[in-house]
Amino acid sequence: TLCLRQNLIKHIENLEQLQTLRELDLYDNQIRKIENLESLAELEVLDISFNVLRHIEGLDRLTQLKKLFLVNNKISKIENLSNLQMLQMLELGSNRIRVIENIDTLANLDSLFLGKNKITKLQNLDALTNLTVLSIQNNRLTKIEGLQSLVNLRELYLSHNGIEVIEGLENNNKLTMLDIASNRIKKIENISHLTELQEFWVSRGQSCSPK
């Protein structure tokens, strides 16, 4: 593990000799570009959160990567992840992403975090059949949809959006946590089949036990 948190690093460089490195933590620096990671073929965890990245790039050789954290950057597009087929956790919260896209090769993904972006639609999730946690809080969603293939989903976080109706959860029978607080929902419906539900959040600071 190499931890370089909270420094003033502007460039990723001089890591060529660390070919067996498993974890690299560059949280809270001033990095503008993901680069010079090609030699880190055994890297499993990479955190470049709280930097000033604009693009997801330079990750093609990191085929063993299991966890990728790019929180709080200036990323506007999900891209260049197709080689990361071992990836289990992807955290892209607090960026400028508008569309869920280019993640259909991430079949091993277990957790996807997209909170605090500008996403308007739940889409392009069909390939993520192993997903158990999906968080898209604080976005611009108006409808629950596109979740029919996520049959292993256990936790769904959709608070602080513009959703008006509880729907589209017919195939998500394994849900244990459903957070739809701070939306525009007026009626609790279409959840009676969610027999494993343990927590159900419908308004700020209030949880309801599903009937």
Side-chain angles (χ1 to χ4, degrees):
T1 300
L2 177 60
C3 183
L4 297 168
R5 283 189 165 216
Q6 295 178 318
N7 281 286
L8 300 173
I9 297 169
K10 293 185 177 181
H11 301 284
I12 303 174
E13 56 191 351
N14 301 320
L15 300 175
E16 292 80 8
Q17 304 302 316
L18 306 180
Q19 297 177 7
T20 59
L21 191 67
R22 297 290 175 89
E23 296 187 23
L24 177 58
D25 190 342
L26 294 165
Y27 180 101
D28 197 5
N29 279 282
Q30 298 173 8
I31 298 166
R32 294 183 177 275
K33 185 177 182 180
I34 304 174
E35 58 187 344
N36 300 321
L37 296 176
E38 295 83 1
S39 61
L40 307 184
E42 296 186 22
L43 201 66
E44 295 182 356
V45 180
L46 176 61
D47 192 343
I48 320 181
S49 299
F50 287 83
N51 279 277
V52 283
L53 300 173
R54 292 187 179 275
H55 301 284
I56 301 174
E57 58 190 337
L59 301 173
D60 290 350
R61 301 280 184 88
L62 306 185
T63 56
Q64 300 302 307
L65 204 62
K66 294 179 179 178
K67 296 182 180 181
L68 177 59
F69 302 89
L70 298 174
V71 183
N72 212 303
N73 279 282
K74 298 180 179 181
I75 296 166
S76 58
K77 185 180 176 69
I78 303 174
E79 58 187 342
N80 300 319
L81 296 174
S82 58
N83 283 7
L84 308 185
Q85 296 178 18
M86 301 290 286
L87 204 64
Q88 297 172 3
M89 176 183 286
L90 178 58
E91 168 61 280
L92 292 170
S94 298
N95 278 287
R96 300 173 179 178
I97 296 165
R98 295 180 181 274
V99 179
I100 302 172
E101 60 186 339
N102 301 321
I103 54 174
D104 41 323
T105 61
L106 307 182
N108 288 306
L109 205 62
D110 174 81
S111 304
L112 176 59
F113 298 92
L114 293 166
K116 293 187 178 179
N117 277 285
K118 300 179 179 181
I119 296 166
T120 57
K121 186 175 183 179
L122 285 168
Q123 60 185 341
N124 300 322
L125 295 166
D126 290 347
L128 308 184
T129 54
N130 288 310
L131 204 67
T132 63
V133 179
L134 176 60
S135 177
I136 311 189
Q137 299 168 309
N138 284 281
N139 275 276
R140 299 175 181 177
L141 301 175
T142 57
K143 186 177 182 180
I144 303 175
E145 59 187 335
L147 304 178
Q148 58 273 7
S149 296
L150 307 186
V151 294
N152 290 304
L153 201 62
R154 295 187 181 278
E155 299 178 25
L156 179 59
Y157 301 92
L158 298 173
S159 65
H160 297 276
N161 279 285
I163 297 166
E164 298 181 355
V165 179
I166 303 174
E167 60 186 340
L169 301 174
E170 292 80 12
N171 293 353
N172 311 115
N173 298 326
K174 294 184 180 180
L175 277 176
T176 60
M177 171 68 186
L178 176 59
D179 181 2
I180 48 174
S182 298
N183 277 283
R184 297 174 182 171
I185 293 165
K186 297 178 180 177
K187 182 180 179 182
I188 297 176
E189 58 188 336
N190 301 322
I191 62 165
S192 59
H193 65 291
L194 302 179
T195 55
E196 296 188 27
L197 207 57
Q198 297 172 11
E199 291 188 63
F200 177 43
W201 293 84
V202 287
S203 64
R204 186 177 301 174
Q206 177 184 2
S207 69
C208 294
S209 298
K211 299 292 190 290

